[in-house]
Amino acid sequence: MVLALGAVSMALPALAQDAPAADAAHTLDTVQVTGSRIQRQSTNTDTAQPIGVIDGEVFLERGFTNAAEAVNQLPQVIGSLTDAGDQEGSQTGKQFINLFNLGSERTLTLVNGRRFVGSNAAGGGQGGNQVDLNNIPASLIDRIEVVQATGSAVYGSDAVAGVVNIILKTRFEGMELDAQTGLSERGDYERHAFSLTGGTEFADGRGSVVMNLDWSKSGALVATDRRWTSRGFTFAPNPANTSDSDGIPASIGREDHRMSEHPEGGTLYIAPAPLAQFRLNIGGGPVRFDGAGQLVPYDVGDYIQPAYAFGGDGLKISEFTAVRTPVERHVLTALGHYDLTDRLRLSAEVMGAEMSAFEPINQGAYNSALLTTQPNGALRFSTDNPFLGDQARDLLTANGVSSFWLSRFHTDILPGSGVGSQSKTQRGVLALDGNFEAAGRYFHWNAAANFGRNEGSFNSFGILQQNWLEAVDAVRDDSGNIVCRVALTDPGTGCAPLNLFGIGQASQAARDYVTGVFGASYETRQNNYQANIGGELFELPAGPLNVVAGWEYRKEFSDYRPYETSARGLGRSAPVSAMRGEYDTNEFYGEVLVPVFGGGVELGPITALEFDASYRTVDNSLAGDNEAMSAGMRLTFFDDVTLRGTWNKTFRAPSLYELFLPRSMLTGTGVDPCDARYINTGANAALRASNCRSELAALGLDPNAPLNSLITNVPTEMYTGGNPDLNNELAESWTAGVVYEPSAVPGLSLVVDYVDMKIKDAISYFDAASTMQACYDQPLPNPYCGNFQRGPDGQIVQGSMQVGYTNAGYVDFGATSFAANYRLPIGARFGTLDLGLNVMKMRKLLVSVSGLGFDEYDAVGTGLLSSSLVGPTPEYQARFNARWERGPLTVNWNTQWYDGIVYDHSYTVETRDILGVPSTIKHDASVQYAFTDRLTFRFIVNNVFDREPPINIAVGSGAYNDLSDVIGRYYFAGLNYRF
């Protein structure tokens, strides 16, 4: 606090005397542009770094009820975590922003220029300190500023891809009520929002207070609610394929994908293995249990291989896939300030938010022949099981069957398959801002304390495995009653026998006995103190040389507490450990702005030239010392053309989640490089094939026989956990831009920005696919091959796969953005017309998950990646908007366009019949009419032409939902009243 105390003491002499009021340009209301602590008025076109600005008015005109909706409209934002697609654990319903598709953990989100407590305490596949934008009061947003590819030197860790600064309204006079409701054209997915804002000034304008209540609620949408998402599209092995050079694709796109191995009610096997020859056939074909528990013929559809059947009576995956997760949020905010003197302001921010979400449906529990080991493998039963009906027993006995393996999906056992998530967030900020004059120079200072807390939980129903084993082992007691076998020797166990033959045949007592709630609660706390002093160090011909110096202390704490069921491993996963960790940082920083030309000082065509630089050094108690620095330049010719550029050295420290994630079991899939479809692909195909065939031969298998690897498509048990040895990831970036604002064409602005970035020692999550790729695509032996094991059949052994975080990857990224804005001079009679176009071209996104280079690929235009670093990335994205205003009427038209993407650049016509997803376009429109100065009505139509997404959309993927509209035409109506 030395800097803060020094700043106060220097201010006191000026306050003690009758000093003149501060210059109009040097008031306490002077703002700072995002990406700098130097005070100056600014827009998105007069800074060295590329900055985009979203005005708060768009929330009303576009019907946005969440800050994420607005930010995700920018072409520079893609792959954000949203409520779209399948969710996971604590991530359910949350909104994390992702700039340039470099990972949401590499985007720093601020509120009023200060850090906000993160909401990623329990992970869910993404590391980092991400801020959940559900906690921000959307109706109170004044503007959002987005800085690209820089920010660490000014704000510290996490600003690798850039900074999103959400600036709230600090002054408001009167009261404003806003209400909105929405409904899809198909009569579902309701969305409602309500806000109440009030504010007033007092003490002759020296004080101001603003209060806001923000509430919104959205409905659920599942894949079966839409024709296009219920199709069940996937890629399946092509039986017609004969080789990798016959011109016939190895995989073909098909609809109505089903899992024939474990239908509802169950099917029978003679051995606990998924191959067709192990099905129990009676009467010439397979059988299944119907709803009443009788054995009936089972239509497996067009069966290709394990996990691939189309049509028939099998389990349809799309029936258990969520498209939108319902989210309800409440945010209460109070902002206030009071000018103690003309040069000293006390301000405070208090915020409380609650969010609850429930993913409506998911794939729940099952015992399937696809998983050849327990606890999820098929169950063995004898024909003397007392729950087996006479019809089924007689049929089995007549065919010489005394025992069988039951493969079944347990939709009728769990109370629900969805995932619930709840969180509460509190934040408080207390700040002093002041300015003073010394030696004829203007100085400003600030000291602030920022406290944040996020606590929450997530939960879902699961199987209590020991109770399950007891309940399925049913017998008759001496009185002929059906009981659990364990009850014969221990009547007080409470076990209720479970009937798995048929659908809905289990008693409620049995269901209660074998199911429980699993999950965890968590807490994250952030304490942040900072002090800054800056001002005009001395006068240059073109203006004052401005400097800022500051100190910041930050402490992050995280506590993860699994429920007893999860901690003791009472379900079908290994015990989940509790996690508790913290770190603190001491940070010192400085910034300088040097004007060379401007303010009337010119050199020929040069009318303005300024340089800026910033530096920060950070001591992290866990990650060690690091530094960030930035340098920028802005050069203007004839007041019309400005050249700008920056160089930045940034970093990201590992989050507590990445460091201390508890070791736990999960299920997942991953492309196996040794699978027959992929053994001859990859950046080093020859080495991959050689390594795979050598290992298969060592297992005693024919190395040239095609391997159909189950892990490629069938969920496999694996273990994950954090890594306490992680180091900072490092990045270096360049930006260069041109701004053209011709004086001859008032209202026209053209901006082109170039961004280039390299990240090394990237904190990568090695999933199953990354781990196997790192093993087989480089010379053997290597450490990655020790993270999993193949069985004698060539399949990955259940539970042998180890996945998690490591400093391994690198990213080489480049993009070019173009923005054009023009206010047409159509005259007062015809109103005003504003046109805007924003286009981004991804030039490159070279990714190596291993960091060794052999697995490098260009993610631009690539969809399904075996990488945790990036997701689907179109080469081009564009947004166009037109806004016409005349008197009380305002009309908006907005168009979003995404270029087509391919699944993987290594795919050819030999690999798949469909190589990618075509381009998509969506149009939204809104009309707003002000009946009076106080009352305004708006009507909004999203997806005006009801454009359907591509047939080959990946329904469960939130990223694909970013690239196309799966909801269809949607209507909003809203009312705004000020009083």
Side-chain angles (χ1 to χ4, degrees), residues 119-205:
S119 301
N120 196 30
Q126 299 189 52
N129 301 305
Q130 296 92 326
V131 173
D132 181 10
L133 267 63
N134 285 311
N135 296 321
I136 311 301
S139 59
L140 199 59
I141 292 175
D142 180 70
R143 67 188 185 278
I144 301 174
E145 297 179 348
V146 180
V147 180
Q148 303 174 24
T150 184
S152 287
V154 176
Y155 300 112
S157 176
D158 303 334
V160 175
V163 178
V164 175
N165 186 14
I166 302 172
I167 301 167
L168 304 180
K169 300 172 183 176
T170 57
R171 294 182 183 272
F172 194 91
E173 192 67 32
M175 297 283 288
E176 180 180 86
L177 181 151
D178 193 88
Q180 179 175 286
T181 187
L183 188 69
S184 81
E185 185 169 89
R186 290 154 183 86
D188 55 14
Y189 189 52
E190 295 184 21
R191 298 181 64 188
H192 310 289
F194 171 87
S195 69
L196 182 63
T197 305
T200 187
E201 294 186 348
F202 57 92
D204 296 325

Side-chain angles (χ1 to χ4, degrees), residues 878-951:
R879 303 287 192 277
F880 169 77
N881 64 278
R883 183 181 186 273
W884 176 67
E885 182 178 7
R886 183 176 182 272
L889 179 65
T890 303
V891 179
N892 275 278
W893 185 273
N894 297 272
T895 299
Q896 304 174 21
W897 176 81
Y898 292 99
D899 194 11
I901 58 175
V902 297
Y903 291 117
D904 192 299
H905 291 310
S906 65
Y907 291 170
T908 67
V909 292
E910 286 287 348
T911 307
R912 288 186 174 182
D913 62 336
I914 302 176
L915 299 179
V917 177
S919 63
T920 61
I921 191 168
K922 182 170 79 80
H923 305 274
D924 303 328
S926 67
V927 177
Q928 181 173 279
Y929 190 82
F931 290 99
T932 68
D933 291 341
R934 296 184 174 186
L935 179 63
T936 302
F937 174 80
R938 63 183 178 273
F939 183 73
I940 302 160
V941 182
N942 287 342
N943 197 350
V944 173
F945 301 113
D946 201 24
R947 186 181 178 93
E948 296 184 9
I951 186 175

